[in-house]
Amino acid sequence: MSSTDPIAVFRIEAAECLEQIEAGLLDLTHQLDDKALIDAVFRGLHTLKGSGSMFGFDALAAFTHHCETAFDRVRKGEAPATAELVAAVLDAQDHMRALVDDPNGDHDATSQRLLAQLQAAVGGAAKPAQWVTAAAPASVVTDKRKTWRIRFSLPLNAMINGTNPLGLLDELRDLGECRVVANTSTIPSLSALVPTELYLSWDVTVTTEQPRSAIDDVFIFVMDDMQLDVEEIDGNAVVATPKEAVVSAAPAAPVAPAAGEIVPVKREAPAQVAPVADQRQAKVTESVRVPAERLDELMDRVGELVIAQSRLSQLASASADIGLRSVSEEIERLSGELRDTMMVLRMVPVASLFSRFRRLVHDLARETGKVIELVTEGETTEVDKTVIERLADPLVHLVRNSIDHGLEPPEERFAAGKAEAGTITLSARQSGGEVIISIKDDGRGINRERVRAKAESSGLIQPGQQLSDAELLQLIFAPGFSTAAQITNLSGRGVGMDVVKKTVEALRGAIDIVSLPGQGSDVSLRIPLTLAIIDGLLVRVGAGRYVIPLSAVEECLELSLEEDLRSRGRSFISLRDSLVPFLRLRDVFRTGTKPDVHQKVVVISTGTERVGLVVDQIIGDHQTVIKSMSKLHNDVAHFSGATILGDGSVALILDVVHLVTVGQQQEAHLRAAG
């Protein structure tokens, strides 16, 4: 059994906490008076400070304390929430990440600079001592003592989740003179009692000089899941005594609050054992945090199982043993279900990818002086986690390019009759076995004349060379290609779009561009849903066997030898009144074999483009565990990977995008030749 490093766990949780803080700050930029958002940011900063201190990240705790103090003042109405404050805390948040990653580094200069920026943003009204020490949070002392009655109960699973009610009571005692009464009336009988669950509730009377907000602060981390009632009373108010509370919890009596003022607690009937057990089990299975590398390891095991199952199926099909065939079919069913379950585990919503761009757009808007609105659509679309990780950098380049080259400055947009704010839309949707991620802007569009001039001057194309519109737009992905007049912090070196193309191709994906002058551009990335195991169509060409991704297959047709001979020189088939180009894979792969008498045409497509692939035989469907090509074979065209068949031999996986492109180019040449 492997042990878990608590520091590593803290870093993961700190990263999640910082993401939540960032999301709250970015939302706050649009609604500076939203108290719920202010409270959420404050809670996040408070959590980060507390957990950082607990795990020994003292520099982080001390620095975060200042940001927390600033938002505490905003929360209490002592300072306004301003765009400058949000920007200062966003900058400070980046520093917090550095303090998490390198707690022992030299961060003093940066800390002081950011604290000065924070102090200026919050109005400079705070006492200097608040900004240079990590003392206890500031409190506002009132001149008049008040008595509060606090009745609260926690969720049944509070102690399982690490909440200690005694700590809450101690914090209430710290506020002033305190009397605590425990309500034991909801404790079930011994046979129904679950030791890890919390059945008590409390009635507390506190006399203190602290304001009401100090009481709320005690429950700030559990407030969302608990029942809490706080009311101000005078010093002569009567409350339940401990004796009364004990009497009300007499074992034989059904639940009946002895003191009518006690807050009712909604819980399961204590005598019903089974529902309580079911509820406990349901809570345990809510969610489990699993390291990504363990999922990768499990995926590898599932892949090996699928290969072994394929081999078993092949042996069973050649055997007359009915029992062996039955077992083989059962194993095939189970491995298929296991594979599907594993695929779901690896899927994550694309929202986790899109959320990263809110901060990027916010920062770029400040840097460029443009007014930018980010719109996200289809955030619930799920994609393999590996795809998500690899798409992050390409999307950064595309968004930066859209903002720098696409969106116009406000005055130019106004002159063009557009809204002052430019829009960047990130969207995701599933289409068959692909997910399509689109980056769209409503800017000026791609200047085709400038693209052609740059391509001709750099030798990418010949002067006057005929290109389709799609081919011309694809030139922007060429290495070193840039139409920028000068190099800026955002673009101009011609590297970003090259990175986009290489990454998408490595994912077996494709890029489509649509751009209209004055209306903006839409770049769509078509990416396979998963990179691990796919359903494939196993075919034979000559003596070799190949796999075609089943998600790309539209239909299969028979191509007789006579039809093959008649189509020599034109390579088109008529498919429901439309001509579809086809490739003879036997010629493409130069097998040197004679065609079978009854060849087959497998029609594949990528979006709207279709191409037929002529093969000698269709063997059948095949669960394909994708193995990467070796470095030696990385530049071999036509193939995107390899897989191991049931008999231990290797079959190459056809690169559908590449073959469709080749087929379309062949069609264009034939049409041009008449």
Side-chain angles (χ1 to χ4, degrees):
M1 179 181 293
S2 60
S3 60
T4 303
D5 181 6
I7 298 300
V9 172
F10 166 71
R11 285 196 165 101
I12 294 173
E13 293 180 350
E16 294 175 352
C17 188
L18 285 167
E19 287 180 5
Q20 293 173 1
I21 294 171
E22 183 176 278
L25 289 169
L26 292 172
D27 288 337
L28 199 57
T29 56
H30 303 290
Q31 300 169 293
L32 288 172
D33 58 346
D34 191 320
K35 191 174 185 308
L37 289 174
I38 293 171
D39 288 342
V41 173
F42 172 77
R43 283 199 296 269
L45 292 168
H46 190 73
T47 301
L48 186 64
K49 183 189 78 170
S51 55
S53 177
M54 185 170 66
F55 284 92
F57 288 71
D58 295 334
L60 171 70
F63 181 81
T64 307
H65 169 74
H66 299 298
C67 299
E68 179 200 16
T69 302
F71 261 85
D72 192 33
R73 296 189 62 206
V74 174
R75 195 169 61 106
K76 293 174 178 174
E78 299 172 8
T82 62
E84 291 73 21
L85 173 62
V86 173
V89 179
L90 279 171
D91 290 342
Q93 186 209 19
D94 294 336
H95 185 56
M96 293 174 202
R97 285 195 172 94
L99 292 171
V100 171
D101 295 337
D102 183 16
N104 299 319
D106 184 9
H107 303 289
D108 289 345
T110 305
S111 296
Q112 292 302 321
R113 177 178 60 79
L114 292 172
L115 288 180
Q117 182 180 339
L118 182 63
Q119 186 174 5
V122 84
K127 295 178 181 178
Q130 287 182 288
W131 302 98
V132 295
T133 64
S139 59
V140 178
V141 179
T142 60
D143 296 332
K144 186 178 179 182
R145 285 161 56 93
K146 293 182 179 178
T147 300
W148 301 88
R149 184 172 188 180
I150 307 160
R151 289 167 290 189
F152 72 94
S153 62
L154 297 169
L156 282 173
N157 60 354
M159 293 193 294
I160 299 175
N161 292 334
T163 301
N164 184 357
L166 296 181
L168 300 175
L169 294 173
D170 288 342
E171 290 189 46
L172 290 175
R173 291 190 182 96
D174 290 341
L175 297 178
E177 184 182 342
C178 184
R179 183 172 62 176
V180 178
V181 178
N183 175 22
T184 58
S185 62
T186 54
I187 296 179
S189 62
L190 187 60
S191 61
L193 188 142
V194 179
T196 56
E197 295 192 343
L198 179 61
Y199 299 99
L200 296 176
S201 59
W202 288 269
D203 190 338
V204 183
T205 305
V206 178
T207 302
T208 178
E209 296 177 342
Q210 301 290 339
R212 161 65 191 269
S213 59
I215 298 173
D216 291 338
D217 286 349
V218 172
F219 302 100
I220 190 169
F221 298 117
V222 292
M223 193 169 290
D224 292 340
D225 301 321
M226 68 178 296
Q227 291 186 5
L228 174 66
D229 181 25
V230 182
E231 60 178 330
E232 183 181 350
I233 60 175
D234 58 47
N236 298 322
V238 177
V239 297
T241 64
K243 184 178 179 180
E244 289 170 335
V246 172
V247 171
S248 68
V255 178
E261 297 178 4
I262 298 296
V263 176
V265 180
K266 297 178 180 177
R267 289 178 178 147
E268 297 291 337
Q272 297 177 0
V273 179
V276 171
D278 292 344
Q279 188 181 33
R280 179 178 55 182
Q281 184 174 1
K283 288 170 183 170
V284 170
T285 56
E286 281 177 353
S287 64
V288 177
R289 187 192 298 273
V290 179
E293 57 268 23
R294 293 190 183 178
L295 283 182
D296 292 338
E297 185 178 346
L298 181 58
M299 189 70 245
D300 289 341
R301 297 289 181 272
V302 172
E304 297 301 322
L305 176 64
V306 170
I307 293 173
Q309 175 269 316
S310 177
R311 188 171 186 179
L312 175 62
S313 296
Q314 189 164 337
L315 291 173
S317 63
S319 171
D321 189 334
I322 300 299
L324 177 61
R325 290 190 175 190
S326 175
V327 171
S328 172
E329 291 174 358
E330 185 68 9
I331 295 295
E332 182 176 357
R333 181 183 65 80
L334 292 173
S335 67
E337 292 177 356
L338 181 59
R339 184 199 69 164
D340 294 341
T341 303
M342 188 62 227
M343 290 302 180
V344 173
L345 290 180
R346 290 175 59 91
M347 292 293 185
V348 295
V350 78
S352 62
L353 177 64
F354 285 177
S355 62
R356 307 178 188 182
F357 294 94
R358 298 185 63 198
R359 176 68 185 279
L360 176 68
V361 171
H362 173 270
D363 292 348
L364 291 180
R366 296 181 64 198
E367 185 175 343
T368 61
K370 297 178 180 178
V371 184
I372 307 170
E373 181 182 357
L374 176 66
V375 177
T376 56
E377 300 171 350
E379 291 180 293
T380 57
T381 305
E382 292 189 329
V383 189
D384 189 289
K385 74 174 188 65
T386 305
V387 175
I388 291 283
E389 292 165 3
R390 294 190 189 177
L391 279 181
D393 285 345
L395 286 186
V396 168
H397 290 300
L398 289 170
V399 170
R400 289 168 69 94
N401 260 44
S402 292
I403 292 175
D404 194 28
H405 294 305
L407 295 185
E408 311 94 330
E411 59 275 10
E412 188 176 333
R413 293 181 63 85
F414 184 75
K418 295 182 177 180
E420 180 185 22
T423 303
I424 300 289
T425 304
L426 292 176
S427 64
R429 62 184 173 88
Q430 186 175 337
S431 175
E434 294 180 325
V435 62
I436 300 176
I437 295 179
S438 172
I439 304 92
K440 184 178 180 182
D441 67 71
D442 64 347
R444 57 173 69 94
I446 297 176
N447 188 324
R448 289 167 171 77
E449 290 73 22
R450 187 178 295 179
V451 171
R452 171 173 281 280
K454 182 68 177 180
E456 290 180 351
S457 64
S458 59
L460 282 176
I461 60 173
Q462 297 299 319
Q465 182 177 337
Q466 293 294 321
L467 294 175
S468 66
D469 189 59
E471 290 172 333
L472 181 66
L473 293 177
Q474 288 287 335
L475 290 174
I476 66 173
F477 294 104
F481 188 91
S482 175
T483 58
Q486 59 183 6
I487 297 174
T488 68
N489 290 336
L490 299 183
S491 59
R493 297 186 184 278
V495 176
M497 302 303 272
D498 183 32
V499 170
V500 173
K501 183 181 181 184
K502 288 182 177 176
T503 304
V504 172
E505 287 181 346
L507 291 170
R508 297 186 286 110
I511 306 173
D512 297 329
I513 307 178
V514 175
S515 182
L516 298 174
Q519 298 183 34
S521 303
D522 185 353
V523 181
S524 297
L525 311 182
R526 292 187 284 107
I527 308 293
L529 277 177
T530 180
L531 306 176
I533 301 177
I534 61 171
D535 287 322
L537 184 67
L538 188 62
V539 300
R540 180 178 62 81
V541 180
R545 286 177 290 181
Y546 304 88
V547 174
I548 304 173
L550 202 55
S551 59
V553 176
E554 283 198 349
E555 59 186 300
C556 300
L557 310 169
E558 184 164 328
L559 181 67
S560 65
L561 188 58
E562 294 75 17
E563 290 175 318
D564 186 21
L565 292 174
R566 283 200 301 271
S567 62
R568 285 286 171 184
R570 53 185 179 91
S571 298
F572 283 100
I573 56 173
S574 177
L575 193 61
R576 289 183 287 278
D577 299 329
S578 64
L579 291 177
V580 177
F582 65 79
L583 298 171
R584 295 179 175 83
L585 293 184
R586 191 180 58 258
D587 297 340
V588 174
F589 299 157
R590 300 177 184 175
T591 63
T593 58
K594 292 183 178 179
D596 277 18
V597 176
H598 301 290
Q599 298 179 94
K600 303 293 186 295
V601 180
V602 181
V603 180
I604 61 175
S605 70
T606 57
T608 57
E609 307 294 341
R610 293 191 299 174
V611 162
L613 303 178
V614 180
V615 303
D616 288 321
Q617 180 187 3
I618 295 174
I619 298 174
D621 65 319
H622 180 263
Q623 283 194 22
T624 305
V625 181
I626 301 176
K627 303 291 184 182
S628 301
M629 302 282 277
S630 70
K631 292 183 179 178
L632 185 64
H633 300 93
N634 265 346
D635 56 348
V636 176
H638 308 315
F639 307 113
S640 59
T643 189
I644 301 174
L645 301 179
D647 60 359
S649 62
V650 174
L652 296 174
I653 303 169
L654 300 187
D655 186 340
V656 170
V657 175
H658 174 78
L659 289 172
V660 168
T661 303
V662 171
Q664 294 298 323
Q665 289 174 347
Q666 174 181 289
E667 177 190 10
H669 292 320
L670 290 174
R671 289 182 185 277

